[in-house]
Amino acid sequence: MAKTRFKPKGKVVIGTVKGDLHEIGKNILVMMLKGAGFHVIDLGFDVPPEKFVKALKTENAKILAMSCLLTTTMISMEDTMEALREAGLSGKVKVMIGGPPTTDDFAKQIGADFRGRDAYEGVEQAKLFVS
Ligand code: B12
């Protein structure tokens, strides 16, 4: 795809949040986003809020996807949303979250735009974000 004139659908910065080493679900979403034509900047796992902010700014990406598997690391999603606000990125970046401990209510509470139950939902939402 890189060697063709293929134009990516959009850029997605993605990572598993700070304190959390689980990455299998996140990796599935990465593969499916790439397959759907997105340019994906994968920051890996245990990603601190400032690293998400830096990548969004450097890459001028308009979508952030965060994953967490531990109830204790859900707070890192909230911290990242706060860091986005402080960096003036609120409203400029669409945020989706996922992972078993997350819920729609939690997404609303922290100001995320979407919570996906699985990678398929994540990809469909990313398409809606750029449409
Ligand atoms: C594999 C695993 C590990 C591996 C991770 C390896 C790796 N490289 O990822 C290792 C061994 C490192 C590990 C460590 C720990 N683990 Co662990 N682990 C698991 C396990 C067995 C499977 C998780 C998994 O990969 N599932 C498969 C993937 C495909 O599913 P998924 O992540 O849910 O992703 C899907 C969706 O959720 C969604 N999704 C996920 N992210 C996102 C993001 C977006 C934006 C969207 C849209 C969708 C989306 O899409 C994915 C695909 O459809 C679970 C138990 C279980 N059966 O789930 C425990 C589990 C998550 N671990 C648990 C715990 C407690 C730990 C440890 C604290 C254990 C310990 N005492 O050391 C450590 C924590 C280390 C840390 N700081 O993170 C608990 C968490 C409990 C809780 N609610 O907090 C669980 C639930 C086990 C249990 N029943 O107690 N773990």
Side-chain angles (χ1 to χ4, degrees), residues 19-25 28-29 65-67 69-71 96-100 116-119 122:
D20 204 318
L21 308 180
H22 297 85
E23 61 170 344
I24 299 168
I28 292 173
L29 181 55
M66 294 189 275
S67 177
L69 269 281
L70 300 173
T71 35
M96 66 163 106
I97 63 168
R117 278 173 300 179
D118 54 34

Side-chain angles (χ1 to χ4, degrees), residues 12 14-29 32-33 45-46 64-74 77 95-102 114-123 125:
V12 183
I14 186 168
T16 303
V17 295
K18 185 176 174 186
D20 204 318
L21 308 180
H22 297 85
E23 61 170 344
I24 299 168
K26 184 267 296 169
N27 289 347
I28 292 173
L29 181 55
M32 288 183 59
L33 283 168
F45 52 84
D46 193 17
L64 170 64
M66 294 189 275
S67 177
C68 88
L69 269 281
L70 300 173
T71 35
T72 49
T73 56
M74 289 168 75
M77 290 185 161
V95 182
M96 66 163 106
I97 63 168
T102 62
F114 179 74
R115 181 256 168 177
R117 278 173 300 179
D118 54 34
Y120 174 78
E121 281 193 3
V123 172
Q125 187 61 39

Side-chain angles (χ1 to χ4, degrees), residues 8-14 33 37-41 55-65 93-94 96 126 129-130:
K9 279 208 173 70
K11 276 188 187 178
V12 183
V13 167
I14 186 168
L33 283 168
F38 285 87
H39 179 80
V40 182
I41 297 106
L56 286 163
K57 283 187 165 173
T58 322
E59 299 287 343
N60 192 25
K62 300 285 180 251
I63 303 176
L64 170 64
V93 171
K94 293 285 185 189
M96 66 163 106
F129 281 155
V130 295

